[in-house]
Amino acid sequence: MEFKTISSESVPMTLLLEADPSEIAIKKYLADSACFGAFDGDEIIGVCVSKSLNISTSEIFNIAIDPEYQQKGIGSKLLQFVLKELTTIGYSKVELGTGSFGYQLSFYQRHDFRVDSILKDFFLDNYDDEIFENGIQHKDMLRLVCRLR
């Protein structure tokens, strides 16, 4: 398993759609973003997209692992790699948005992200299609923050 910085053009859209169902939203944040990949040989099996908000803060917009490789710790290793790279670049804080419940929330909390704020009705107002997980509709977005050491 290898982790490295990649170009936004090399990121497979099918992989990004695993974490974000809106190709329109993905295309908006993919431009001018830093992209990181997890590789099994020459195959990209995981990606993370991060974008600078300001001199000290970067936002993670997408992290996704190919379904065949999930539940093997690759997402955690990719996120650790990304956080280390962002620290090296000089960022002191990383933000992201996620649903108010589900496995993503606990994933980020295991990596020292903490709830900072709630955006009410975000998924209702910003996505054409309803997003469900475990039979529950995502409505609100939690904004999470991780302070880098």
Side-chain angles (χ1 to χ4, degrees):
M1 189 70 43
E2 183 180 10
F3 302 95
K4 58 186 175 183
T5 302
I6 59 175
S7 70
S8 60
E9 295 83 24
S10 66
V11 177
M13 181 60 71
T14 54
L15 202 47
L16 294 171
L17 288 167
E18 290 290 329
D20 186 338
S22 172
E23 193 168 333
I24 294 168
I26 291 169
K27 287 179 179 178
K28 284 181 186 174
Y29 61 70
L30 193 56
D32 301 323
S33 290
C35 300
F36 307 89
F39 289 79
D40 183 11
D42 291 335
E43 182 183 3
I44 299 175
I45 59 164
V47 294
C48 182
V49 177
S50 176
K51 193 169 194 167
S52 179
L53 296 181
N54 57 51
I55 194 166
S56 63
T57 307
S58 184
E59 179 171 356
I60 291 177
F61 281 89
N62 192 312
I63 184 166
I65 304 298
D66 184 302
E68 290 183 32
Y69 291 86
Q70 291 177 4
Q71 301 299 314
K72 297 180 181 180
I74 298 167
S76 288
K77 289 177 185 171
L78 176 59
L79 182 57
Q80 291 166 358
F81 172 79
V82 169
L83 294 177
K84 183 178 177 185
E85 290 294 303
L86 294 175
T87 301
T88 301
I89 292 168
Y91 293 106
S92 60
K93 184 170 76 169
V94 176
E95 297 181 3
L96 61 85
T98 192
S100 58
F101 63 90
Y103 72 91
Q104 304 93 331
L105 179 58
S106 58
F107 170 78
Y108 292 122
Q109 289 177 323
R110 282 193 305 273
H111 294 280
D112 296 326
F113 282 85
R114 302 205 42 204
V115 176
D116 186 62
S117 62
I118 300 170
L119 298 178
K120 299 274 188 191
D121 296 329
F122 178 86
F123 294 106
L124 301 176
D125 296 339
N126 292 283
Y127 286 83
D128 293 334
D129 296 325
E130 297 173 335
I131 301 172
F132 283 86
E133 184 177 346
N134 297 323
I136 304 169
Q137 185 177 7
H138 278 286
K139 297 178 182 176
D140 305 324
M141 174 191 276
L142 293 182
R143 295 292 301 168
L144 307 180
V145 172
C146 177
R147 304 267 176 209
L148 301 175
R149 296 180 181 95

